Every structure is written in structure tokens, then in C-alpha cells.
Amino acid sequence: MSNPETTRTATVDAATLRELIASGRPPRLLDVRTPAEFETSHIPGAYNVPLDLLKEHREELRNHLNEDVVLICRSGARAAQAEQTLAGVGLPNLKVLGGGMMAWQAADAPLNRGAARWDLERQVRLVAGSIVLVSILGSVLVPGLKWVAGFIGAGLTFAAVTNTCAMGMLLGKLPYNRGASCDLDTVVGQLRTGPTAGQRASR
């Protein structure tokens, strides 16, 4: 479980990142969304290292990230968690794409696109909202069900305060969100040899 941010996360906006990518020495782009989200759309040259995998293998990744690193997710929240994780093992030169893929798409920046799938945040809203709705309606017959809705509300509040989301982490493990995969050794090899379009690391 992550702690709330105690230091300000360094960010880079979409326009500046485009300039950096076009420069002679672009930063490493680590996309920490789920493989399914990554397959839907990603920045050309990005490496997909889902947040849970990044946390598990942070020491190994640190040994292969010597240049500037920009962390990417849908809105910036998961990337901020990834920044804290990698900073915790002594990795410098970390930045988060401000506004995440939403800002990148809004800037009409280049994208590699695949089959469309729901992003993780949207899935969380659907599941949480459905549980609350069913609990409230069901409480007409079983009054105790209203506490299920209260539990979900408390969980969402805790997620906002701590900048974590247990439901999102659980949903991220579903087959729908895993997509195609390769092992971490593959992406480590890619990090050694240089950026190529749309690389992936998974379990």
C-alpha cells in the first residue's frame, strides 16, 4: 500500500514531451497501464511495464534505466505511484506525463492504436457504481445491504486520500486487462538495445 505523496512529483507536459522525443536523446517512456489499455493506444516507442509489475521488479528495472525516464498512465495517478516506487530505489531523473494519455490525445500527438477496450478507471467506476446501486436497491428487502454501499464509499474515499486503488489493482489482474504478454527479461533486453515502438513487459 502506497503512502500519500510527500514531495511534489516532477511532470512534463505533452508538448514538451513531443519535443524531447523528437530530439537526439529522447527519454525512456514507461507506460504503467494494463496491457489491454496499452494495446488500445500508446505513445510510439513506449515500453509497457504495468504498475504491479514495476513495483515487483523495481530493483531490476533501476539497473537498466540510466537516462531520463517519463512515466505514463491514463491520467497521471498511476504514473505518480510508479515515480514514488522508482525514486524509492534511488532512480533519478524521473518525470510523469502531466495529464497522462488523456492530455497526450487532447494535444493530437502521435499514437499507435489497436482494438479499443475500456480503460481501468472506467471499469472501476462501472463496478463501484453497480455495487452501490444494487446494494441500495437490495436494501429495500435486506436492510443490511446498505452497509455494502457504505463500504464501497469508504474504499473510494481511502483510494483518493492515499492515491491508491485496491479495486483497480484487482481488476487489472483479470484476463480482460492482461492482453498479450511477454516476460520482463524481454523488455530488459529492449531497454539495453534502445527504444522501439510499443514494447511490452508482463508476467
Side-chain angles (χ1 to χ4, degrees), residues 3-202:
N3 293 322
E5 289 182 273
T6 56
T7 59
R8 190 170 182 269
T9 300
T11 61
V12 58
D13 61 36
T16 302
L17 181 56
R18 291 184 73 173
E19 293 175 2
L20 291 172
I21 292 172
S23 71
R25 297 193 60 184
R28 295 289 192 185
L29 307 178
L30 297 190
D31 190 321
V32 302
R33 296 174 299 156
T34 66
E37 289 175 292
F38 184 80
E39 288 174 6
T40 296
S41 64
H42 59 263
I43 299 173
Y47 298 85
N48 183 216
V49 187
L51 182 59
D52 58 344
L53 187 72
L54 180 142
K55 289 180 176 180
E56 182 180 347
H57 295 280
R58 55 188 179 274
E59 295 279 357
E60 187 174 358
L61 287 167
R62 179 195 60 182
N63 296 332
H64 300 284
L65 294 169
N66 298 318
E67 56 275 274
D68 293 341
V69 174
V70 175
L71 298 156
I72 302 158
C73 68
R74 177 179 179 271
S75 62
R78 280 175 282 174
Q81 292 182 51
E83 188 273 339
Q84 292 177 40
T85 297
L86 293 176
V89 294
L91 191 64
N93 304 322
L94 297 167
K95 288 186 174 64
V96 168
L97 174 59
M101 291 297 295
M102 295 172 65
W104 186 261
Q105 292 173 351
D108 198 28
L111 278 176
N112 287 345
R113 294 185 181 274
R117 302 194 195 197
W118 280 22
D119 59 67
L120 196 60
E121 284 87 348
R122 187 178 181 187
Q123 293 176 49
V124 169
R125 293 195 296 270
L126 173 67
V127 173
S130 297
I131 293 173
V132 170
L133 178 61
V134 170
S135 299
I136 294 299
L137 293 177
S139 67
V140 174
L141 299 175
V142 183
L145 283 179
K146 65 185 178 184
W147 296 110
V148 175
F151 176 78
I152 295 298
L156 293 175
T157 301
F158 179 81
V161 171
T162 62
N163 198 29
T164 63
C165 184
M167 183 180 292
M169 296 296 283
L170 289 173
L171 290 174
K173 296 180 184 300
L174 294 177
Y176 176 84
N177 289 312
R178 299 316 296 176
S181 64
C182 65
D183 59 29
L184 187 70
D185 290 339
T186 302
V187 83
V188 166
Q190 292 161 352
L191 288 170
R192 289 196 189 107
T193 58
T196 55
Q199 305 298 337
R200 178 180 293 104
S202 190

